[in-house]
Amino acid sequence: MNEPTALVISAHAADFVWRCGGAVALHQSRGVKVTIVCLSYGERGESAKLWKEEGMTLDKVKAARRAEAEAAAAALGVEDIRFFDLGDYPLELDRAAKDKLVDVIREVQPRFILTHSKYDPYNTDHMYACQVTLEPHQTEQMGWKPDTFLDISEVWDRKRAAIECMQGQEHLWDYYTNVAENRGNHFRRNSGGQAGGRKATHAEGFQSIFPRTVDEL
């Protein structure tokens, strides 16, 4: 029997760490082979710290962002991470790039796909990544809200290690740590009430049709 697979489609090189690094580590640890696709490096809009270094160039920023993402993927236990290098702000996929993404989906045959929310007015690259991901699949989606909570307590140290690989966005480390802790509170409350719920120190939020708490997606 073939091993189960999953696919993460990330607009920029760090997005998969912040938003679903725990889910990636958890499923990897349970025998699901996760493939990560980074559509861009986030070299223009998400690398401010790198651009402040003397003598920095676009190619150097891309190389640094790639190294960070590869280190983060390794920290999460992922061996298969791919980079499309399509540019950012705006992120754009032509016909050839879309065909390439479809080829990856066909190759991986994922049990599930994780990507960005459909509505994100603060970052149109994220919305676009979702739109492109849904094109070969289902197009009827509502606005995203977290109503499925995944306990990632057992692999939080891996996600934090992956977060710290993102040197170019150090200002987000504590923010996404706080998000994970808040999601842990959501998990506890939705698994039986604040007093009687399951203990969870860290969690991630996803969207489903009905609110639920899960051990795996």
Side-chain angles (χ1 to χ4, degrees):
M1 180 181 293
N2 294 332
E3 61 183 339
T5 59
L7 179 63
V8 177
I9 299 176
S10 183
H12 312 108
D15 291 335
F16 72 91
V17 176
W18 316 125
R19 287 165 174 77
C20 61
V24 170
L26 186 69
H27 287 78
Q28 275 285 155
S29 70
R30 297 185 179 181
V32 179
K33 182 181 178 182
V34 180
T35 295
I36 298 171
V37 170
C38 296
L39 298 177
S40 78
Y41 293 112
E43 65 272 16
R44 297 186 184 277
E46 302 196 351
S47 303
K49 182 180 176 181
L50 292 172
W51 281 111
K52 292 177 182 178
E53 296 179 13
E54 185 176 354
M56 187 56 65
T57 65
L58 184 62
D59 286 342
K60 288 180 180 179
V61 171
K62 287 183 179 182
R65 296 296 279 172
R66 180 177 183 127
E68 290 177 358
E70 289 174 338
L76 299 173
V78 173
E79 297 179 355
D80 188 10
I81 180 169
R82 311 183 191 191
F83 301 91
F84 279 27
D85 190 13
L86 297 173
D88 62 322
Y89 299 97
L91 170 67
E92 295 178 325
L93 275 72
D94 61 14
R95 181 73 265 171
K98 290 180 179 180
D99 288 345
K100 183 178 179 180
L101 183 59
V102 170
D103 287 343
V104 172
I105 295 171
R106 288 172 174 167
E107 173 195 344
V108 173
Q109 292 291 305
R111 190 174 77 183
F112 62 86
I113 298 175
L114 298 178
T115 191
H116 296 269
S117 57
K118 186 175 182 181
Y119 182 65
D120 185 347
Y122 293 102
N123 195 313
T124 56
D125 279 7
H126 293 172
M127 289 195 296
Y128 182 70
C130 179
Q131 173 190 326
V132 170
T133 300
L134 291 174
E135 280 184 10
H137 302 285
Q138 182 177 340
T139 57
E140 297 156 354
Q141 296 289 320
M142 296 174 62
W144 182 85
K145 65 177 183 179
D147 54 25
T148 296
F149 300 103
L150 178 69
D151 182 3
I152 62 167
S153 303
E154 66 186 81
V155 292
W156 167 248
D157 59 335
R158 295 189 188 181
K159 176 163 183 174
R160 179 65 195 198
I163 284 174
E164 292 181 9
C165 293
M166 295 301 163
Q167 295 291 324
Q169 291 176 283
E170 186 176 351
H171 62 288
L172 293 177
W173 293 6
D174 290 340
Y175 172 80
Y176 278 101
T177 296
N178 291 335
V179 169
E181 291 170 347
N182 289 333
R183 294 287 186 252
N185 179 58
H186 296 160
F187 186 98
R188 294 191 298 273
R189 292 178 65 87
N190 286 280
S191 62
Q194 188 71 350
R198 277 178 46 185
K199 181 179 180 181
T201 60
H202 299 81
E204 288 176 340
F206 300 91
Q207 180 180 352
S208 65
I209 296 175
F210 301 105
R212 58 195 177 106
T213 56
V214 299
D215 295 307
E216 295 185 358
L217 296 177

